[in-house]
């Protein structure tokens, strides 16, 4: 039996139960590649589901001892903003810490308290030199996280002191590489592309963690017989389902 932490088991069952993880034939990713499964944390669309997801993030943060460093929990807009709020609420509810949270704007605010400035963050929790823990749902290309780091750098300059980035915590690691295209911009199927997470860490020096990887999630759900949506029907995952995931990651997954 695969051994997982309590917050990892909670996450796997949560995503399976609400249909955020599902299997279906003929699925395609946004980049055009085929995939046997899909993960959509946008399905966490009720108070209960959001709170349960927040508890998963809070469990990891508490376990790592990062709450004691009093970071601002920062979620990239849009999905990350709800995750940051939920995680902060759960840390308070569990008597771990009362941490501030924030999220970025798509366009700078220049009126009200931001008159004469270009405020790119919403709550005002980012004080000069603050420690920052970024949390988000997934990180396939890491482009959103790179954009957020640029905003943080600019905000740190505006405030006169740079922020200390603790790292990026993802809800689910899809364990996939990026797509590969030919000279005309057409997708080349069956080819492993660059590792976006490794490139992000190398380029920025910022650590990246994940609550749970897709390979471990699928294996755990199959072992415990948790129902998952497969071709529109809720049923336990079977050996062929797990094998399809392994075969898929053998082609498109990260090597490490």
């Amino acid at each position: 039996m695969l051994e997982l932490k309590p917050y990892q088991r909670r996450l796997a069952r949560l995503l399976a139960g609400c249909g955020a993880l599902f299997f279906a034939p003929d699925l395609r990713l946004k980049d055009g590649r085929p995939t046997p499964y899909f993960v959509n944390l946008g399905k966490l669309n009720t108070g209960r589901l959001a709170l349960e997801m927040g508890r998963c993030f809070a469990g990891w943060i508490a376990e790592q001892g990062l709450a004691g460093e009093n970071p601002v929990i920062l979620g990239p807009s849009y999905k990350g903003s709800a995750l940051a709020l939920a995680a902060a609420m759960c840390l308070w509810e569990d008597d771990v810490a009362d941490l501030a949270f924030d999220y970025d704007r798509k366009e700078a605010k220049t009126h009200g308290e931001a008159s004469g400035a270009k405020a790119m963050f919403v709550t005002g929790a980012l004080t000069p030199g603050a420690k920052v823990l970024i949390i988000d749902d997934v990180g396939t290309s890491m482009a959103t996280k790179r954009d957020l780091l640029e905003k943080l750098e600019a905000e740190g300059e505006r405030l006169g002191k740079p922020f200390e980035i603790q790292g990026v915590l993802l809800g689910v690691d899809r364990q996939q590489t990026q797509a590969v295209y030919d000279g005309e911009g057409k997708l080349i199927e069956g080819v492993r592309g660059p590792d976006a997470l490794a490139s992000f860490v190398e380029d920025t020096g910022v650590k990246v963690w994940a609550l749970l990887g897709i390979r471990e999630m699928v294996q755990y759900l199959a072992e415990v017989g948790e129902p998952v949506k497969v071709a529109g029907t809720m049923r336990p995952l079977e050996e062929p389902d797990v094998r399809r995931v392994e075969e898929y990651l053998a082609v498109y997954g990260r090597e490490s």
Side-chain angles (χ1 to χ4, degrees):
M1 175 71 71
L2 181 66
E3 292 188 10
L4 297 182
K5 301 292 180 65
Y7 60 82
Q8 293 177 317
R9 296 195 296 270
R10 180 193 296 270
L11 175 62
R13 291 179 182 273
L14 172 65
L15 299 187
C18 74
L21 168 67
F22 62 92
F23 291 71
D26 303 321
L27 287 175
R28 291 275 171 175
L29 298 173
K30 185 178 180 180
D31 57 34
R33 286 179 295 178
T35 177
Y37 64 88
F38 197 77
V39 180
N40 177 18
L41 269 65
K43 290 287 187 179
L44 304 172
N45 57 8
T46 71
R48 178 185 68 82
L49 294 174
L51 201 63
E52 285 294 299
M53 189 66 192
R55 287 197 176 98
C56 296
F57 278 104
W60 185 93
I61 294 169
E63 179 189 73
Q64 298 298 315
L66 294 182
E69 299 182 25
N70 198 36
V72 175
I73 302 178
L74 181 62
S77 296
Y78 293 104
K79 289 181 182 177
S81 58
L83 296 175
L85 170 59
M89 292 175 66
C90 290
L91 286 167
W92 165 250
E93 187 177 61
D94 294 342
D95 294 324
V96 176
D98 186 16
L99 299 185
F101 68 92
D102 212 335
Y103 48 98
D104 61 319
R105 301 177 186 275
K106 295 302 182 182
E107 296 180 355
K109 181 179 180 180
T110 58
H111 60 281
E113 71 278 9
S115 297
K118 292 184 178 180
M120 289 303 301
F121 296 89
V122 177
T123 72
L126 290 169
T127 56
K131 294 183 179 180
V132 178
L133 175 62
I134 299 169
I135 68 173
D136 205 3
D137 56 350
V138 296
T140 303
S141 71
M142 299 300 287
T144 299
K145 269 60 80 175
R146 288 180 184 271
D147 291 344
L148 189 63
L149 290 181
E150 292 179 0
K151 291 180 180 179
L152 285 168
E153 183 178 5
E155 184 72 359
E157 291 178 357
R158 187 178 76 85
L159 295 176
K161 189 174 183 180
F163 303 114
E164 182 181 335
I165 312 301
Q166 291 182 313
V168 176
L169 175 59
L170 304 174
V172 178
D173 182 357
R174 287 176 170 162
Q175 299 175 314
Q176 295 173 214
T177 60
Q178 293 180 273
V180 177
Y181 303 91
D182 64 18
E184 298 179 352
K186 295 181 180 179
L187 175 70
I188 303 176
E189 291 193 20
V191 178
R192 177 181 283 111
D195 186 336
L197 267 68
S199 296
F200 176 86
V201 173
E202 183 178 355
D203 294 344
T204 66
V206 175
K207 297 177 182 178
V208 178
W209 306 283
L211 297 180
L212 188 59
I214 188 65
R215 180 181 281 110
E216 293 74 24
M217 183 183 300
V218 168
Q219 181 182 341
Y220 169 75
L221 292 171
E223 288 180 350
V224 299
E226 185 75 14
V228 179
K229 184 176 286 187
V230 180
T233 300
M234 295 295 291
R235 66 164 175 80
L237 293 176
E238 299 172 351
E239 193 277 332
D241 303 312
V242 178
R243 186 172 63 249
R244 278 193 292 273
V245 172
E246 292 295 340
E247 292 171 348
Y248 174 75
L249 292 175
V251 177
Y252 294 113
R254 294 202 308 273
E255 294 181 342
S256 61

